[in-house]
Structures are given as C-alpha cells and as structure tokens.
Amino acid sequence: MAQSDKEKFFQGLNIILDVSNIEVVYNEVILVLKGLSLQVPEGKIVTLLGSNGAGKSTTLKSISGLLKSEDGEVTDGKIEFNKQEIKNSYAEEIVRQGIFQVMEGRRIFKELTVDENLTAGSYIRKDSSSNIKADREHVYELFPALKRRINMRAGYLSGGEQQMLAIGRALMAKPRLLMLDEPSLGLAPLLVREIFETIKQINKEGTTILLVEQNANLALSVADYGYIMESGKVVLDGPAEILKNNDDVKEFYLGFSEGGDKKSYKNVKHYKRRKRWLS
Ligand SMILES: Nc1ncnc2c1ncn2[C@@H]1O[C@H](COP(=O)(O)OP(=O)(O)O)[C@@H](O)[C@H]1O
Ligand SMILES: [Mg+2]
C-alpha cells in the first residue's frame, strides 16, 4: 500500500481514537495482542477485519474496558480517546467518555421488553426525559421492526431483531464512537444488508463507527478505511476503496481465490504473500 494513500486519507482529519502499540494479556500469561495500532478519525467508519481468533474482539474490549471482566489486561502501549488516555479505565467510565461497544452475540436484556431495553441504554445520560424519549423514537425510525415489537420481551425477538435492539440500545447512550462486533453474525443476507444500511445512516447522522467483521466484502462496502489483522497485529491497512482492489485482500478475504486446478499453485502463492505481509 502506497504510503501516500494513507497520508492522503488521514490528512486534515481529527483522530478521535488512537490505539498505539498495545499488548494484551489474558490470565497474566496468554499474550493475544502484540503491538496493535489503529486510528479512527472522527465522523468515519473504520473496519477491523481478520479471521477467527485474530484478536478483533480483544481489540474492541481493550478499548471499551470490557477486558477486565475476562481477566485481561492491556500491558503495554496507549489508548487515547479524544486525546485522553483511557487504557485500563473502567468500562462505565469509558461509556461516560462516549465509547459504546455492541458485543458479539447480541447482549440484550432478554427478560425486559424492547422499550425497556432502550430505556436501559440511556442510563448514563443526564439529559431531560423528553430528549431521551425523542432519541428512543429515533431508534424506532431507524429500526421500524423494533417499533412493531415495542412491548415484546427481547428474548422472543428473532436474531436480526435482537441485533437491531443491541445497536438501538447502544445509540441510547449517545456515543461519539460506536463499536460493533460482527453485527452480521448468523443473520440472513437480506437482513444483514438492512442492518448495514442502517449503520451507514447512523454514521451519516454523526456517529463515528469502528466495525469488526469477518465478512470483509460487506464491511469494506460501507467503511471508509480498513485494518486487517492477523495473530494479534495489523498486517495491512488502507482506504476501503484501495483495500477492495488489493490482490492480497481479494485472495485472502474477499473469496476470489476459489477454483479448480490451480489450487495448489495458489496455495503456494498464498504462502508467499502471507510471508510478504508479515515481514
Ligand atoms: N477470555 C480469554 N481468555 C483467554 N484467551 C482468550 C480470551 N478471549 C480470547 N482469547 C484468545 O485470544 C485470541 C483472540 O481472540 P478474539 O479476540 O476473540 O479473536 P477474534 O474476535 O478475532 O475472533 C484467541 O486465540 C482466543 O482464544
Ligand atoms: Mg470476535
């Protein structure tokens, strides 16, 4: 990736989240992130891609403070939000600063109704109840399916509706930075497209987004900038448009490498390319 493409992209943008060279250790021994760096400019959608086990969720949890509840710790590097160090701060403090993570697997309160879940999302706000009510109405505009289920217990919603509710609940906290961990996971393609359209809309309305995905094609279609990680480190990054057309990315992550006879040759090429990235 030409350095100038990156520089051009970041020029004049305000870096709202600056993660620099972090190391993360679980249970005091398992080193999972090994010098990971990424930057999120205000107002953009940045995607973090990588295969299963690369460390994407760990990265988000390091930022949101949710690592602590899994006996994980950021042992090195810095995490600045809005120019302030937030590394190893408490999750609730980080929410107050304006970062909200929607965890993988749609964590919602299953016993509460849809409406109650949304109300719960606003707990940190000191706004007037009329402002909060207006924001709740806005969530129902973004996700009309939720409005139709307003008094239903969340546990009875479909997978897609639960994902919408998880995002809606996050919006109720009015975050400046919304972090989404694999929102497409386990959902039918049509629904995924709908949710991604809404993610774009949320961004247009002013929320910065850090989107973790295994589905690179989908993520790069909505993101402005992408980072690709492997084994706890970023191996490639660049503007989404450029990544989409990058041969390595196409082969590894966009699934264009399928096909009969040349398979073993391609495997060798894979191996070479992989080495090139990692060197
Ligand atoms: N709570 C934990 N304790 C120990 N190891 C963990 C924990 N969570 C994740 N890991 C390990 O960290 C690595 C990265 O996991 P994760 O961040 O979930 O990757 P991804 O989200 O990219 O699939 C994996 O090898 C995983 O087994
Ligand atoms: Mg994950």
Side-chain angles (χ1 to χ4, degrees):
M1 184 96 16
Q3 192 58 35
S4 61
D5 290 327
K6 297 184 194 180
E7 279 169 11
K8 230 186 280 167
F9 178 84
F10 281 102
Q11 204 163 46
L13 297 177
N14 176 33
I15 303 300
I16 191 170
L17 176 72
D18 189 359
V19 177
S20 171
N21 260 310
I22 58 168
E23 252 182 37
V24 167
V25 173
Y26 284 112
N27 307 311
E28 293 181 11
V29 286
I30 310 162
L31 179 65
V32 169
L33 298 190
K34 306 158 186 168
L36 178 126
S37 300
L38 62 84
Q39 296 187 313
V40 180
E42 187 162 27
K44 300 289 181 191
I45 300 181
V46 171
T47 185
L48 178 60
L49 307 169
S51 44
N52 207 6
K56 304 180 299 298
S57 297
T58 299
T59 302
L60 292 195
K61 286 178 203 162
S62 313
I63 298 163
S64 65
L66 293 171
L67 207 57
K68 280 175 184 271
S69 55
E70 296 192 19
D71 201 15
E73 195 192 354
V74 185
T75 51
D76 203 2
K78 61 172 194 178
I79 304 177
E80 285 182 3
F81 182 63
N82 221 5
K83 313 274 187 276
Q84 290 204 37
E85 179 66 71
I86 57 164
K87 185 176 75 178
N88 292 326
S89 297
Y90 286 103
E92 183 164 337
E93 173 54 27
I94 291 171
V95 171
R96 278 181 209 286
Q97 301 238 0
I99 301 180
F100 203 106
Q101 177 183 355
V102 177
M103 290 178 89
E104 194 181 324
R106 315 186 266 275
R107 310 279 173 92
I108 48 168
F109 299 119
K110 293 207 159 69
E111 299 303 316
L112 300 184
T113 66
V114 166
D115 214 44
E116 288 165 346
N117 264 279
L118 292 184
T119 303
S122 64
Y123 78 101
I124 57 139
R125 287 172 58 183
K126 297 192 178 86
D127 273 330
S128 68
S129 59
S130 64
N131 278 352
I132 289 173
K133 189 162 171 251
D135 287 335
R136 205 164 47 213
E137 282 311 310
H138 187 54
V139 169
Y140 289 130
E141 277 165 30
L142 288 168
F143 298 111
L146 292 182
K147 180 137 198 180
R148 293 193 288 273
R149 307 260 186 273
I150 193 164
N151 290 317
M152 191 184 267
R153 276 197 200 180
Y156 294 114
L157 299 176
S158 71
E161 290 162 349
Q162 290 190 15
Q163 184 60 265
M164 293 173 189
L165 183 56
I167 297 172
R169 190 164 65 106
L171 291 177
M172 291 302 293
K174 277 213 151 196
R176 288 181 71 190
L177 173 65
L178 176 64
M179 302 197 297
L180 302 168
D181 196 351
E182 300 209 35
S184 73
L185 199 74
L187 303 184
L190 214 67
L191 204 55
V192 169
R193 212 159 308 140
E194 189 183 326
I195 286 178
F196 272 65
E197 281 307 313
T198 310
I199 291 171
K200 270 205 303 209
Q201 179 62 27
I202 291 165
N203 173 251
K204 273 205 199 110
E205 292 172 4
T207 309
T208 306
I209 291 173
L210 178 54
L211 170 66
V212 160
E213 263 299 330
Q214 270 195 67
N215 186 337
N217 215 347
L218 185 68
L220 289 173
S221 72
V222 299
D224 299 293
Y225 199 88
Y227 289 89
I228 296 176
M229 66 182 297
E230 262 179 37
S231 315
K233 270 199 263 230
V234 168
V235 290
L236 186 69
D237 65 300
E241 276 306 312
I242 290 173
L243 283 185
K244 259 190 284 189
N245 296 310
N246 178 295
D247 285 342
D248 292 338
V249 176
K250 276 190 199 166
E251 261 193 83
F252 277 113
Y253 295 105
L254 303 183
F256 295 154
S257 64
E258 250 55 67
D261 304 351
K262 291 190 176 155
K263 208 157 194 175
S264 62
Y265 164 68
K266 289 209 163 165
N267 283 344
V268 173
K269 215 162 60 170
H270 274 186
Y271 177 68
K272 282 193 184 147
R273 289 197 164 156
R274 183 170 289 252
K275 278 191 72 169
R276 198 174 76 218
W277 284 12
L278 296 175
S279 61

